[in-house]
Amino acid sequence: MTSPKGSKTMGRSSSARPSVNESILIMDFGSQYSRLIARRIREANVYCELVSPGTEWEPLAKLNPKGIILSGGPASVYAPEAPVAPEWVYSKQIPILGICYGMQVLTFQMGGFVEPSDMREYGQAKLMHDASHPILKGISDETTVWMSHGDRVTKLPEGFKPLAHTSNSSIAIMGNSHNMIGLQFHPEVAHTTEGRKLLNNFLFDICKCTGDWTPGNFVTQAIEDLRNTIGTGKVICALSGGVDSAVVATLIHRAVGIQLTSIFVDNGLLRKDEASRVQGMFSRHFNMKIIHVKAQDEFLNNLKGITDPEDKRKIIGKTFIEIF
């Protein structure tokens, strides 16, 4: 097998991950669909986690990964500082599924070539098989897929072969004998009519997942892991009023009760009366200790005159952290 190019490992490890029998790791390269991939995997009753390209292997090993998905992303692999997968993705000999940019990363790091396409492909396309492979099990001879890419694979890495094509992509699916597969399209979106079947082929026929995970299992395990990690210590939790922080606060409170203090930073950007409902729900219904910080004026002053959505997001995040 060819050694991967451009691999590096950065980031810090975490010991707070749940104990699961098996998992799929989704390496997030910044795709707008990364969380949708996670949703599709979990709908198939397989636990998964989104991880950054800088994540080290050691904290992930306890998840017993059965497969790795390389997500799409906005970058071009030949651009300076383009994100690539760390070396362990290839050295652990775990099945890999590269999606769109993920396929290009796989190609680039395994010694193939990726170049700008003469024509950006965006929208639905007809996929046709070129070979038999477990990823194509039960897939129609001609099926609709969703394309969104400006680059294309022009030379396959050693040991890979084309498995399917479209009218504009001669290599729409590629694979090798080491369970490394690349899809130039997005199987996770509804516009790819047999996308779930393709993902399930990867999960169950290639990765050999059992599919015995449920959200209920996760909640039970997460609470147990939190108790074991926190012990008799005290916890502060940042609460924004959104779904993510609300779920985190609820799980921690169920695990350690009064050891938790949630700091609700009211940024003035919630829906009408939502801030009071958030505080009421957590303090009265869950009997959670909450510090309510009314910081509407500070957020709105910092956002005054700002029109770019990305600039707004960064200002809101920075202001939230400073106040917290």
Side-chain angles (χ1 to χ4, degrees):
M1 193 186 304
T2 307
S3 297
K5 300 189 296 184
S7 298
K8 62 180 180 179
T9 302
M10 300 172 61
R12 61 185 182 183
S13 64
S14 169
S15 60
R17 287 192 159 91
S19 300
V20 292
N21 294 326
E22 62 184 16
S23 71
I24 297 292
L25 302 178
I26 303 170
M27 188 146 292
D28 183 9
F29 290 111
S31 171
Q32 60 180 323
Y33 299 132
S34 293
R35 283 169 176 76
L36 182 57
I37 298 173
R39 178 177 176 179
R40 296 290 183 246
I41 302 303
R42 291 176 179 178
E43 285 173 344
N45 291 338
V46 176
Y47 180 73
C48 65
E49 278 199 16
L50 288 167
V51 299
S52 72
T55 307
E56 297 177 353
W57 167 253
E58 285 70 24
L60 302 175
K62 67 178 290 187
L63 295 175
N64 190 24
K66 296 290 188 179
I68 301 168
I69 295 178
L70 307 179
S71 85
S76 295
V77 292
Y78 46 77
E81 303 301 321
V84 293
E87 185 275 336
W88 59 258
V89 167
Y90 305 99
S91 66
K92 297 301 177 183
Q93 299 184 349
I94 299 171
I96 299 170
L97 178 67
I99 296 176
C100 200
Y101 178 77
M103 171 177 169
Q104 294 160 16
V105 166
L106 178 60
T107 299
F108 172 73
Q109 291 191 273
M110 298 307 296
F113 289 95
V114 178
E115 297 177 359
S117 178
D118 295 334
M119 182 174 63
R120 176 178 173 82
E121 194 169 16
Y122 183 81
Q124 290 183 325
K126 291 295 182 183
L127 182 81
M128 288 150 282
H129 300 201
D130 294 323
S132 61
H133 191 276
I135 195 70
L136 293 166
K137 177 183 174 182
I139 303 299
S140 305
D141 292 339
E142 184 175 302
T143 187
T144 301
V145 298
W146 184 260
M147 293 284 191
S148 178
H149 64 97
D151 298 335
R152 63 191 177 97
V153 175
T154 55
K155 180 183 177 182
L156 288 170
E158 182 180 351
F160 283 78
K161 63 180 182 179
L163 302 176
H165 70 279
T166 68
S167 59
N168 192 51
S169 294
S170 60
I171 307 172
I173 302 181
M174 68 178 195
N176 70 1
S177 60
H178 299 285
N179 288 327
M180 294 182 177
I181 303 145
L183 310 179
Q184 188 58 78
F185 54 90
H186 290 274
E188 69 274 20
V189 303
H191 301 301
T192 297
T193 54
E194 296 182 276
R196 292 193 188 216
K197 191 179 292 184
L198 280 161
L199 288 173
N200 285 349
N201 286 345
F202 179 70
L203 296 176
F204 301 114
D205 289 272
I206 296 171
C207 299
K208 307 300 182 184
C209 292
T210 58
D212 60 357
W213 178 86
T214 66
N217 294 342
F218 171 76
V219 170
T220 301
Q221 187 63 57
I223 291 171
E224 181 181 341
D225 289 341
L226 284 166
R227 284 197 186 111
N228 293 335
T229 301
I230 297 166
T232 59
K234 296 192 180 296
V235 183
I236 57 171
C237 176
L239 189 60
S240 68
V243 173
D244 290 348
S245 64
V247 170
V248 170
T250 302
L251 287 174
I252 298 174
H253 185 259
R254 287 179 63 179
V256 297
I258 61 173
Q259 294 167 235
L260 169 69
T261 298
S262 289
I263 301 174
F264 174 36
V265 179
D266 184 354
N267 58 22
L269 303 173
L270 300 175
R271 297 177 180 87
K272 184 181 179 181
D273 299 327
E274 191 168 16
S276 60
R277 288 199 298 270
V278 168
Q279 184 178 15
M281 178 181 69
F282 283 103
S283 60
R284 289 194 296 270
H285 183 68
F286 291 111
N287 197 28
M288 188 184 298
K289 182 181 178 181
I290 291 183
I291 297 173
H292 186 182
V293 183
K294 297 181 180 180
Q296 299 96 321
D297 290 344
E298 188 166 350
F299 277 92
L300 296 177
N301 285 335
N302 289 348
L303 290 169
K304 188 175 182 180
I306 306 299
T307 57
D308 182 81
E310 183 64 14
D311 290 340
K312 289 181 180 180
R313 185 188 67 80
K314 290 178 180 177
I315 289 170
I316 292 168
K318 183 174 184 292
T319 305
F320 186 98
I321 291 169
E322 289 173 348
I323 293 171
F324 173 72

